[in-house]
Amino acid sequence: MSLLSDLNEVLTPLGIPIETGLFSGVPPDEYLVFIPLTDIFEVHADNRPGFEVQEVRISLFSKGNYQQRKRQITTALLNGDFTVTERRYIGHEDDTGYHHYAIDVAKNFRLEE
């Protein structure tokens, strides 16, 4: 029950290198970084949550045109039953030459009794 492992499973077939937190080593021209955002008990009754909502920011870094990759990632996420909560162009990093685009996703996980 981990959003990070589910994201890896869905996005690895796209062929983009993926890391969590920070890209280690020399980064390629295009890569993804997963940044965990929250783990919350948003909906519950009787003081006993039944679900945990996990949220992760997917940061796409690309030295080329990021538009096609953005669409591929979004389609894969929606087909994988993830909730896309926000998509945003962060900006161009002049010092590295990367475009930075963020996609925030969430998924509900049933808690075990």
Side-chain angles (χ1 to χ4, degrees):
M1 163 170 108
S2 167
L3 180 53
L4 293 173
S5 61
D6 288 357
L7 286 170
N8 268 301
E9 185 178 316
V10 168
L11 296 178
T12 295
L14 297 179
I16 309 168
I18 299 170
E19 299 244 0
T20 300
L22 175 66
F23 200 89
S24 58
V26 178
D29 286 350
E30 189 173 64
Y31 63 95
L32 298 174
V33 174
F34 297 161
I35 303 165
L37 297 175
T38 61
D39 300 316
I40 57 175
F41 301 128
E42 194 165 84
V43 179
H44 60 277
D46 301 327
N47 295 324
R48 295 285 304 172
F51 290 89
E52 175 183 29
V53 180
Q54 296 180 15
E55 295 180 273
V56 168
R57 171 162 288 163
I58 302 166
S59 288
L60 167 63
F61 293 92
S62 178
K63 288 191 175 183
N65 187 338
Y66 64 91
Q67 293 291 333
Q68 181 179 352
R69 280 297 195 191
K70 172 188 78 169
R71 286 189 293 276
Q72 289 176 333
I73 293 166
T74 301
T75 299
L77 292 169
L78 294 175
N79 289 341
D81 292 327
F82 295 90
T83 301
V84 176
T85 59
E86 184 175 9
R87 298 185 313 161
R88 172 188 308 225
Y89 182 72
I90 304 299
H92 184 266
E93 299 177 352
D94 294 334
D95 57 332
T96 63
Y98 286 100
H99 292 280
H100 182 184
Y101 191 85
I103 302 171
D104 293 353
V105 296
K107 194 166 190 181
N108 295 335
F109 293 92
R110 181 178 295 279
L111 294 175
E112 298 174 11
E113 297 288 326

